[in-house]
Amino acid sequence: MKSTALKLIVVIFLFLGLASIIQAQVNRINVVTTAVPFLRISPDARAAGMGDLALATSADANSSFWNLGKVPFNEMKGGISVSYTPWLKDILNDVYLASVAGFYKVDELQAISGSLRYFSLGDIQFTDALGQNLNTFRPREFGIDAAYSRKLSDKSGLGVGLKYIYSNLAQGPAAGNNYKAASAVAGDIHYFYNGHDNQGQGWAFGAALTNLGSKIAYTNNATNKDYIPANLGIGTTYTKAPNSSNKITFGIDINKLLVPTPPQPIPPATSITQTQLDNYRSKSVVGSWFSSFGDAPDGFSEELKEFQVSLGAEYMYNNQFALRTGYFYEDKLKGNRRYFTMGVGIKYSSFGLDFSYLFPSGSGVNLNPLSNTLRFSLHFNFDGTGTAATENK
């Protein structure tokens, strides 16, 4: 019963999170919310072990999730990665994110890639007003994408992708609306600069515009469309290789959602007006990308709070063993996700296995719901000659 109730709360939050955030005025909490937030969950264990650092790290099979511009810089001809994450495991036991990604280099300049991520909220038992069981439903979402990437020079690459997003959180009448499965289409534009020298040392830079697409609707009401998590990310890393066996990388990523900030009440009012809500919902998709840099109710100081920061490091020994750590920061008024991460990786022949762990934080009612999050990723690489090989990161 407790598990079912918790799952139902998660689904309700995904549907009504916008309204609840607008009404919450405690400590001026004003979280920027979107539909399909699973698109912003780190899908692979390598990046997760570094605090979600990934925009300018070395290329691998999961580059299509983070920066398509990196894909042509993979040393192997092709590769596949499969990842699994039990989500909110300290609260629920059957919610998970699963993903698969792969790439193939057409030649030394061009590459194609694709990925799929699937998010399941487990089984939920719905009841009527008297507590009688009605039916069981499994909320689920997925995103599938395909992309083309090309080197612009020996040092830089550009990638473009197209994705289809599907979200089925509830079906049938509820609260005066008839809910249905929703879908959207979005595109990605990513850039990567690799400034490493022949020893693999130096700076790298990445920039990504992700999830640039249409709004998504769970009802037939044209005014009840929600924004998807369009995002701007920039990042850089520096790699030092003291010798041929040891390599260490440090980096930082900064991300900001290109989504309007929910309005706040105008004093002396204690709640927002219908006009404010209508203006928020009626913003065009493209217009909202630009206005998101200057629409926070408290001005520039609040805009700065909407930036998320990932700090991470990776130590690689003999291109076979990796140790990783990182820190993710989000302002307490914009979601308050703050956590340390760690990870390990191992490669043998054509296979690689990555593992990451999110350190628990808080206690009791203040326990971080992401505490003890685990991620697992399995990789397979091949060199294009019929011989399996390990990618040299």
Side-chain angles (χ1 to χ4, degrees), residues 245-262:
S245 298
N246 297 276
K247 183 185 297 184
I248 186 167
T249 299
F250 301 93
I252 180 173
D253 283 358
I254 299 175
N255 286 278
K256 187 184 188 304
L257 286 170
L258 303 181
V259 177
T261 304

Side-chain angles (χ1 to χ4, degrees), residues 44-198:
D44 73 288
R46 184 192 178 203
M50 295 185 281
D52 296 352
L53 178 80
L55 289 173
T57 53
S58 58
D60 59 20
N62 287 304
S63 293
S64 59
F65 288 124
W66 301 103
N67 191 338
L68 295 167
K70 297 194 295 184
V71 178
F73 290 89
N74 276 286
E75 296 190 4
M76 295 298 105
K77 184 72 172 180
I80 297 174
S81 178
V82 179
S83 302
Y84 178 77
T85 302
W87 195 241
L88 301 175
K89 66 183 297 291
D90 275 7
I91 301 177
L92 306 168
N93 58 17
D94 59 355
V95 177
Y96 67 87
L97 174 70
S99 65
V100 59
F103 73 94
Y104 179 77
K105 291 173 64 175
V106 179
D107 52 38
E108 286 303 310
L109 296 178
Q110 305 175 91
I112 55 175
S113 60
S115 65
L116 167 68
R117 60 182 110 192
Y118 178 85
F119 186 59
S120 172
L121 280 162
D123 291 323
I124 294 180
Q125 178 67 55
F126 288 92
T127 61
D128 60 21
L130 299 177
Q132 301 297 316
N133 290 341
L134 294 177
N135 64 296
T136 300
F137 184 72
R138 178 179 288 268
R140 59 201 180 276
E141 301 175 304
F142 70 82
I144 184 170
D145 63 82
Y148 170 79
S149 305
R150 183 181 181 88
K151 284 186 178 180
L152 302 178
S153 69
D154 291 339
K155 295 289 187 179
S156 64
L158 183 70
V160 293
L162 186 66
K163 69 180 60 176
Y164 172 76
I165 305 162
Y166 174 87
S167 178
N168 191 2
L169 299 179
Q171 290 186 349
N177 290 296
N178 190 37
Y179 289 100
K180 62 176 184 177
S183 62
V185 176
D188 299 335
I189 305 174
H190 300 166
Y191 173 79
F192 177 64
Y193 175 80
N194 180 17
H196 293 177
D197 59 22
N198 293 334

Side-chain angles (χ1 to χ4, degrees), residues 203-252:
W203 290 94
F205 171 80
L209 287 167
T210 308
N211 302 323
L212 303 178
S214 60
K215 294 181 184 179
I216 196 168
Y218 294 94
T219 71
N220 291 323
N221 188 337
T223 63
N224 288 339
K225 292 185 177 181
D226 296 305
Y227 299 97
I228 63 174
N231 186 82
L232 168 65
I234 57 173
T236 187
T237 59
Y238 180 78
T239 300
K240 179 69 175 179
N243 52 56
S244 60
S245 298
N246 297 276
K247 183 185 297 184
I248 186 167
T249 299
F250 301 93
I252 180 173

Side-chain angles (χ1 to χ4, degrees), residues 317-358:
Y317 174 73
N318 203 31
N319 287 313
Q320 290 183 311
F321 303 98
L323 294 175
R324 305 178 181 110
T325 188
Y327 178 71
F328 181 90
Y329 172 85
E330 183 177 61
D331 190 271
K332 65 181 180 180
L333 301 183
K334 295 297 179 177
N336 200 29
R337 290 178 298 162
R338 303 180 187 184
Y339 46 79
F340 287 96
T341 63
M342 62 164 289
V344 296
I346 186 171
K347 298 178 183 178
Y348 179 76
S349 184
S350 60
F351 295 97
L353 178 64
D354 290 326
F355 164 85
S356 71
Y357 177 74
L358 191 153

